[in-house]
Amino acid sequence: MMNNEKKGRTGVLTVMIVAAIAGALMQTSLGTALPTLMKGFDIDLATAQQASTWFLLVNGMMVPLSAYLATRVKTRTLHLVAYFLLLAGILTSMWTPESADFWWLFLAGRILAAMAVGIMLPLSQIVVLNMYGKNERGAAMGMLGLVIGMSPAIGPTLTGWILDKNHSILGWTLSDSWRSMFVIPLIIIVIAIVLTPFLMKNVVPNKKIALDVSSVLLSTVGFGLFLWGFTNVASYGWSDLGSVIAPIVIGALVLAAFVWRQLKLPVPFLDVRVFAKKNFTIPTVGLLLTMMAMFGVEMMLPTYLQNVRGMTPLNSGLTLMWGALFMGFLSPVAGALYNKVGIKKLAFVGFSMLTLGTMPYLFLTAETPTILISVLYAIRMAGIALTMMPLTTAAMAALPDDKNADGTAANNTLRQVSASIVVAILTSVVQNIVNNNRPSHSLKLTDPLKYADKVLDASLDGFRVAFLISMVIALLGIILTFWIQGQKEADEC
């Protein structure tokens, strides 16, 4: 399919959107289910959070490979492989025996799903960039952003609805077990698999490029060790040499070697030279801040609502529903606004909304009205909608078409790395504050009410610090917008 060719574009975009819904739901819908998983597998928060951090870790490791695969493998074939891989991951996690001894199998399913999503979402962006001209990409990326943004946002509500009581979907009865949350992504990815042979086209031009095995190993080991170190923080603390400090430092050194090798190769595995272009790098950094601010609250808020407020999974999901709706509504609008007002103003407004929507979370109590939490979350998600895909579009607009695959891979790799790091850091912050401020067990025996109050205070302190970190990240986004160039300035560069 030639660039800008309109025939068949709608079908291709439809398949990718359907599959992206399943992938995006698998990425972050576990937020509401963490307390249920903790109870079902008899594990603590730090262990349960591995279901998210390992997903993000493997996702980040796979994304650099997506650029090579998109160029080397036919578009339709690569989509089918990714979809079947996601199906295998869903089924593996879904049928894991409910025991702490089998938690590794649940994580194995998450890893398979992460490998699939690490291919799917970057590939979708590469396909859009190849199908649409620069004047049309804003709207097309906005539609893709509707899924990438709204599906993770609506995941807590959907998961809460599923876990609350029995439901029936297409004749399939869902119980209140955590297994039920995989049914909807399972059905969606099967639909995508059925549609792919009929609607998917071979869009991305293929070239026979030799795979640089050394680059793959350096990338995999580097990102793997680096992110693994961060995932261990919640369990071992920042001072642990073997499980935290050493993996992070060694991973960073291996990644430095990876970058050095890419600069020396005539045909790099991942062309890191795209970061030499300021109009690509600055919006990409803004996108990282958006992802970190989004995940920072999205992964913490459902746990606060259930563990501190005592809400059911459904009610905690409903509390966050307005944010999902705002994000879904504004994502296509943001794509249109990008072409009209430019990225600089759009990003400033978005990060400002994100900051203002996060600030009141610093003062959350066990009695904070849920309507206030809903309104603030909606403001935050509206801000994310105004920044996420517009920043992605602005970054990619700075690159020539032949660098779309490299730019998308670099962009998505850093997104997943930043999300994984922030989830690990905030989980460790909450866990450590709770552990350090937990009252003695003797108080539980002598004064149970006072013990419960102190446990609640410790949890609230942990969540408040996590929200403070998220607000600081949003503030950094506001500062960054002063370095973002408007479209006119960018075109002159």
Side-chain angles (χ1 to χ4, degrees):
M1 181 180 291
M2 298 298 292
N3 197 28
N4 297 329
E5 182 181 350
K6 294 184 178 181
K7 184 178 179 180
R9 292 194 308 189
T10 302
V12 173
L13 191 60
T14 299
V15 173
M16 292 193 305
I17 286 175
V18 170
I21 292 173
L25 284 175
M26 285 296 293
Q27 188 169 21
T28 57
S29 62
L30 283 185
T32 304
L34 286 182
T36 306
L37 290 173
M38 291 166 63
K39 181 179 179 181
F41 283 91
D42 192 23
I43 53 180
D44 61 14
L45 175 61
T47 303
Q49 192 66 64
Q50 292 174 356
S52 295
T53 52
W54 274 98
F55 187 100
L56 294 169
L57 185 156
V58 176
N59 200 328
M61 291 166 57
M62 283 298 298
V63 171
L65 191 59
S66 67
Y68 168 80
L69 293 174
T71 305
R72 189 69 177 82
V73 183
K74 291 182 178 180
T75 306
R76 181 189 292 146
T77 302
L78 189 54
H79 274 283
L80 276 174
V81 170
Y83 297 168
F84 275 110
L85 195 59
L86 180 58
L87 178 64
I90 292 173
L91 291 174
T92 301
S93 291
M94 186 175 182
W95 297 114
T96 298
E98 196 173 70
S99 167
D101 294 335
F102 288 97
W103 179 245
W104 64 269
L105 185 59
F106 185 91
L107 292 180
R110 296 288 292 167
I111 288 171
L112 288 174
M115 292 173 64
V117 176
I119 297 171
M120 286 165 48
L121 297 186
L123 179 60
S124 298
Q125 292 181 26
I126 295 171
V127 169
V128 167
L129 293 169
N130 276 271
M131 287 197 306
Y132 295 90
K134 290 189 175 183
N135 293 332
E136 301 174 292
R137 288 175 184 171
M141 291 291 276
M143 290 301 297
L144 201 57
L146 172 64
V147 175
I148 295 175
M150 187 176 179
S151 291
I154 206 170
T157 305
L158 182 62
T159 303
W161 173 76
I162 291 172
L163 295 178
D164 187 65
K165 59 184 69 175
N166 293 341
H167 303 282
S168 180
I169 299 177
L170 299 179
W172 195 329
T173 300
L174 307 181
S175 68
D176 58 0
S177 166
W178 54 265
R179 302 180 196 278
S180 301
M181 66 183 173
F182 293 108
V183 173
I184 292 179
L186 177 65
I187 293 172
I188 293 173
I189 198 60
V190 168
I191 292 173
I193 290 173
V194 172
L195 292 176
T196 298
F198 303 100
L199 298 179
M200 182 58 64
K201 307 292 182 182
N202 292 320
V203 176
V204 182
N206 290 139
K207 294 183 290 184
K208 290 187 176 181
I209 302 175
L211 179 63
D212 184 57
V213 178
S214 297
S215 293
V216 175
L217 290 175
L218 288 171
S219 171
T220 302
V221 173
F223 281 115
L225 285 174
F226 186 73
L227 295 178
W228 181 61
F230 278 100
T231 63
N232 288 334
V233 171
S235 299
Y236 299 98
W238 286 101
S239 61
D240 190 283
L241 178 62
S243 299
V244 176
I245 297 175
I248 292 175
V249 173
I250 296 173
L253 293 174
V254 174
L255 288 176
F258 169 76
V259 171
W260 179 83
R261 181 167 179 80
Q262 302 318 295
L263 294 174
K264 296 296 183 181
L265 289 173
V267 182
F269 170 69
L270 178 65
D271 193 353
V272 295
R273 294 180 183 85
V274 293
F275 289 105
K277 196 166 183 62
K278 183 173 68 173
N279 294 334
F280 172 81
T281 301
I282 293 178
T284 297
V285 173
L287 181 62
L288 304 190
L289 295 174
T290 300
M291 293 294 291
M292 293 176 78
M294 174 180 172
F295 276 88
V297 170
E298 188 171 285
M299 300 306 294
M300 292 293 109
L301 206 51
T303 306
Y304 156 80
L305 291 172
Q306 293 180 53
N307 288 0
V308 174
R309 300 296 298 271
M311 287 187 176
T312 64
L314 175 60
N315 287 335
S316 69
L318 289 174
T319 303
L320 307 182
M321 182 179 66
W322 290 107
L325 295 177
F326 263 66
M327 184 142 188
F329 172 75
L330 284 180
S331 289
V333 175
L337 289 175
Y338 170 80
N339 294 323
K340 292 185 178 181
V341 304
I343 186 58
K344 191 179 185 73
K345 294 179 181 178
L346 205 57
F348 180 82
V349 173
F351 278 120
S352 298
M353 294 177 68
L354 194 50
T355 303
L356 293 174
T358 306
M359 189 181 299
Y361 283 157
L362 307 186
F363 309 99
L364 283 183
T365 68
E367 293 80 29
T368 302
T370 54
I371 184 64
L372 177 60
I373 296 174
S374 293
V375 170
L376 292 173
Y377 188 72
I379 293 173
R380 292 189 81 261
M381 299 309 286
I384 289 169
L386 293 178
T387 55
M388 183 183 293
M389 294 313 291
L391 282 169
T392 302
T393 306
M396 298 310 301
L399 301 178
D401 289 344
D402 63 343
K403 293 298 179 184
N404 283 341
D406 290 297
T408 299
N411 189 296
N412 280 278
T413 298
L414 293 182
R415 283 174 57 176
Q416 298 306 320
V417 169
S418 64
S420 182
I421 289 174
V422 77
V423 169
I425 289 175
L426 295 190
T427 302
S428 71
V429 166
V430 174
Q431 191 74 57
N432 288 338
I433 291 177
V434 170
N435 291 342
N436 293 335
N437 293 278
R438 188 185 297 276
S440 63
H441 185 70
S442 60
L443 182 62
K444 184 177 182 179
L445 300 176
T446 58
D447 193 342
L449 291 179
K450 187 175 182 180
Y451 176 86
D453 287 340
K454 286 188 174 294
V455 169
L456 182 62
D457 290 340
S459 297
L460 283 170
D461 288 342
F463 286 118
R464 288 172 187 144
V465 174
F467 295 142
L468 173 61
I469 295 172
S470 294
M471 190 189 75
V472 170
I473 292 171
L475 280 170
L476 291 175
I478 294 178
I479 296 172
L480 182 76
T481 59
F482 293 102
W483 280 272
I484 296 178
Q485 291 186 333
Q487 192 61 47
K488 183 178 179 181
E489 296 170 291
D491 291 340
E492 291 174 353
C493 290

